[in-house]
Amino acid sequence: MAFYEYVSEEQLTGFDMYKYSAVDSNPLSVYVMHPFWNSVVKFLPTWLAPNLITFTGFIFLVLNFLMLTFFDYDFYASAPDHVHVPSWVWIVAGLLNFIAYTLDGVDGKQARRTNSSTPLGELFDHGLDSWACVFFVVTVYSIFGRVEAGAGVGVRTLYYILWVVLFSFILSHWEKYNTGVLFLPWGYDISQVTMSVVYIVTSVVGVETWYAPIFMSFHYRDLFTIMILGCAFTVTLPMSLYNVFKAYRKNTLQCSSFYESFLPFLSPVLLFILSTLWVCLSPSDIIEKQPRVFYFMVGTAFANITCKLIVCQMSKTRCQPLSWLLLPMALVVLVILSGLAQHYETLILYIWTATVALAHIHYGVCVVHQLSGHFNIYAFSLKKPSTD
């Protein structure tokens, strides 16, 4: 793989001056999870690199995604009169999800414990978190599945739910881009514990339990949707706006104008517009035919945009208005909507998804390689590189 230096000299200088600043006020995190993580980290060997812990947790989430892809590729397995996902799969999903969440909680503690904290560690952690969003949402969707016989959640509804989760994630880094402080979102810890429990409960009671209404015509699927939307619009968004407004009142904002302050949203909004045009105007109704691939493509493209924002907010450099990835995507959407490739839309989606995934992996590998060299460290080992 040819290495490319995505991080500019200005950004490298910013990384040299970087100081971690975060606020975690979630009671679940502060009073329950942090004491638990403090106990868990004591069992880890001191030679274990924090980034290796982070990456292992991420791989567990990918394994969850691939496992449910095998048993429920098109999200019909939980629908009535379909062969359901085996109970043991939900147990494994719950355990892997909780272990991944735990590893995500202890990696920073291991870094401080081994005196190996670096800006690369935080970037690596949050960069993988941005990609993990799509795996969380798509995997848990298999519990409810598509709308069929009065059960399930529509694939279009899930598409918009995915975007709510994605924007909720980027809000935290938009806050830090503006305030210099990372305010950890409350919804993350609550959602991780809830998902882990729901997976295990599903293994015991079966997916049929979620068909039944909770009250009158109000179903569990409605509760699932309301919880995500409610958390985003009544907790995450208001708190983000309040924190930025508070920094404005104190005259501590990092940005000099309204335009500069909201610049990080330009590329995500354009990605939302392009992908939504494809969903709504697709000649072959691609979201119905290939929902899993489409979700993965959107989530991966979003992660690539978000990682570049994280680099900018950590290095205190100006966010670039437009991600280059959006230019070829605009061309792809234009070709699809023109009807010129109507019979090849699925093939084009596969090719474009592979392109996005490879581009994002290349970006991630190159940035880790570049920063590892800059800080003279190994990404996945606590040994120091030779200075000879």
Side-chain angles (χ1 to χ4, degrees), residues 296-374:
F296 176 75
M297 180 272 293
V298 168
T300 305
F302 173 86
N304 186 257
I305 292 171
T306 304
C307 284
K308 293 172 182 176
L309 169 60
I310 297 172
V311 168
C312 291
Q313 56 97 335
M314 289 184 66
S315 60
K316 292 189 176 181
T317 53
R318 185 176 185 266
C319 178
Q320 294 301 308
L322 189 66
S323 172
W324 70 266
L325 202 61
L326 296 175
L327 298 178
M329 182 169 179
L331 180 61
V332 168
V333 174
L334 181 62
V335 169
I336 294 296
L337 300 189
S338 68
L340 296 175
Q342 180 176 353
H343 301 296
Y344 303 100
E345 186 173 2
T346 298
L347 177 61
I348 291 174
L349 174 62
Y350 282 152
I351 294 173
W352 176 240
T353 300
T355 301
V356 171
L358 290 174
H360 184 51
I361 292 171
H362 183 263
Y363 175 81
V365 170
C366 288
V367 169
V368 169
H369 179 265
Q370 187 179 358
L371 289 181
S372 295
H374 179 74

Side-chain angles (χ1 to χ4, degrees), residues 11-12 85 112 118 214:
Q11 290 171 333
L12 289 175
V85 173
R112 289 183 286 275
T118 64
I214 301 173

Side-chain angles (χ1 to χ4, degrees), residues 27 34 99 101 113 175 178 188 204 206 219 228 233 235 247 294 306 310 331 335 337 346 358 371 385:
H34 275 293
I99 293 172
Y101 170 51
R113 179 177 176 234
E175 276 182 83
N178 281 279
Y188 174 69
V204 177
H219 290 73
I228 293 176
F233 291 107
V235 180
F294 200 91
T306 304
I310 297 172
L331 180 61
V335 169
L337 300 189
T346 298
L358 290 174
L371 289 181

Side-chain angles (χ1 to χ4, degrees), residues 44-50 107-117 382:
L44 300 179
T46 54
W47 53 260
L48 185 60
D107 53 5
K109 297 182 184 298
Q110 175 75 347
R112 289 183 286 275
R113 179 177 176 234
T114 57
N115 196 30
S116 59
S117 297
L382 295 181

